[in-house]
Amino acid sequence: MTSANSIDPSGSSMAEIAEEWDSYQEIPAIDEAYEEVLGDQFAGQFSGATPDYLERLAARLGWSAGSRVLDAGCGTGGLTAALAARTGCEAVGLDASPAAVRVARTRLAGRDVAGRVGYAVGDLAAPDFPNGSFDAVLAIGSGYWSDPVVAVRNWRTLLRGERPAVVVVISRVLRPQTPRDAELTLQEGLFEPYPDWEGALDAAGFQVEVRDLTEADAECVERLHAALARRLPQLRAQMGPELGERYVAEVEVLRDEHRAGRMRRTEIVATLPGGPDDR
């Protein structure tokens, strides 16, 4: 889980996103909690995804050796590396946080997949790659930061192949943001009104399929909150009392919204019929 102050969805506040992300990198208690819940390759990064989920997704969309996938908003790169390891594809992670990318590169060193994984710093909504560079764009837990219309327009130029795809996995709290949410720096895009990824993808000519992932996400958030709460003394010491307590409180809000039935996790799979040049 990442957080930021109210971010301009146009993408003009990448520096703010990076600054907030950077403050959460290389905190041992955070890494330990995520490792307990999601596994070592996901340390320090909450996405609600697992390697098994990535493998099933890749099988549905035909990603394999020879495929190239952009992980837009990769954080510390666990998903990027797991995708390459489980599917044989080439994966490139992109994130606004230099600290997150530095951690991702350090963790990748020496791994078997190092030759098929790369990381770059940049705006996930405006990736600086040549047209036709990727078979798919994957954005898990990062679709809060950008205007979907802008992002989809830019991502579409990157796509190639017979079945180019965009996959967005995003959580949504079924109420408006409160002053307490803003105080905790929970991202504005979590709350009503949400970024309309489904509408932007449909308008751009994609065939859109939506699936509900709420049950698995609720279980994950419960376990994550418990793991962080047990480490609250370490978080206070390592991050400072205020930031450590705020970090746990952010996850507690998500846990409570799940318990109240006001939170949904949505998978949006969008494919271009006939390829990226089909209009």
Side-chain angles (χ1 to χ4, degrees):
M1 195 242 357
T2 63
S3 63
N5 296 319
S6 295
I7 300 299
D8 180 352
S10 69
S12 62
S13 298
M14 286 296 110
E16 295 178 55
I17 299 170
E19 181 180 358
E20 186 76 16
W21 246 118
D22 290 352
S23 69
Y24 292 153
Q25 303 311 316
E26 300 181 281
I27 305 297
I30 292 178
D31 286 353
E32 291 168 8
Y34 289 110
E35 180 178 355
E36 175 186 325
V37 175
L38 293 171
D40 178 67
Q41 67 268 47
F42 297 96
Q45 174 187 344
F46 178 61
S47 68
T50 66
D52 287 344
Y53 168 77
L54 293 176
E55 190 171 318
R56 292 191 299 271
L57 178 66
R60 284 164 54 200
L61 294 174
W63 302 344
S64 59
S67 301
R68 194 165 189 250
V69 179
L70 176 65
D71 182 7
C74 68
T76 50
L79 288 174
T80 319
L83 178 64
R86 286 296 188 106
T87 68
C89 73
E90 181 181 346
V92 177
L94 178 70
D95 201 88
S97 167
V101 171
R102 183 181 67 249
V103 171
R105 289 171 174 162
T106 298
R107 289 174 174 164
L108 180 66
R111 294 188 60 177
D112 292 341
V113 297
R116 291 186 283 108
V117 177
Y119 297 103
V121 177
D123 182 345
L124 68 89
D128 187 17
F129 297 101
N131 291 354
S133 293
F134 298 96
D135 297 281
V137 176
L138 176 65
I140 297 187
S142 58
Y144 311 106
W145 315 122
S146 306
D147 181 340
V149 173
V150 173
V152 170
R153 181 180 64 235
N154 291 331
W155 291 351
R156 180 166 178 157
T157 69
L158 300 180
L159 294 174
R160 68 184 187 190
E162 295 181 359
R163 197 188 181 197
V166 169
V167 180
V168 177
V169 180
I170 192 166
S171 294
R172 290 161 169 163
V173 179
L174 307 183
R175 60 168 176 79
Q177 188 184 42
T178 67
R180 173 62 172 163
D181 299 323
E183 180 185 348
L184 291 174
T185 68
L186 282 162
Q187 52 266 40
E188 187 175 353
L190 266 171
F191 304 92
E192 297 175 345
Y194 318 110
D196 184 12
W197 287 98
E198 295 94 330
L201 288 160
D202 180 72
F206 287 82
Q207 292 182 346
V208 180
E209 177 187 358
V210 178
R211 299 172 66 216
D212 185 79
L213 305 179
T214 302
E215 184 176 353
D217 188 59
E219 179 183 350
C220 184
V221 172
E222 283 280 355
R223 294 176 58 210
L224 178 60
H225 178 264
L228 288 168
R230 288 195 299 273
R231 293 171 173 84
L232 184 55
Q234 297 98 303
L235 290 168
R236 290 187 182 117
Q238 293 166 15
M239 303 176 74
E242 182 177 352
L243 189 56
E245 291 174 11
R246 191 182 79 189
Y247 193 85
V248 177
E250 291 173 359
V251 182
E252 185 174 4
V253 169
L254 305 185
R255 182 205 65 181
D256 290 347
E257 293 304 316
H258 264 305
R259 288 181 175 182
R262 290 191 298 263
M263 190 153 179
R264 298 290 182 270
R265 182 78 159 179
T266 302
E267 175 198 76
I268 306 160
V269 174
T271 55
L272 279 175
D277 295 326
D278 181 38
R279 297 296 185 265

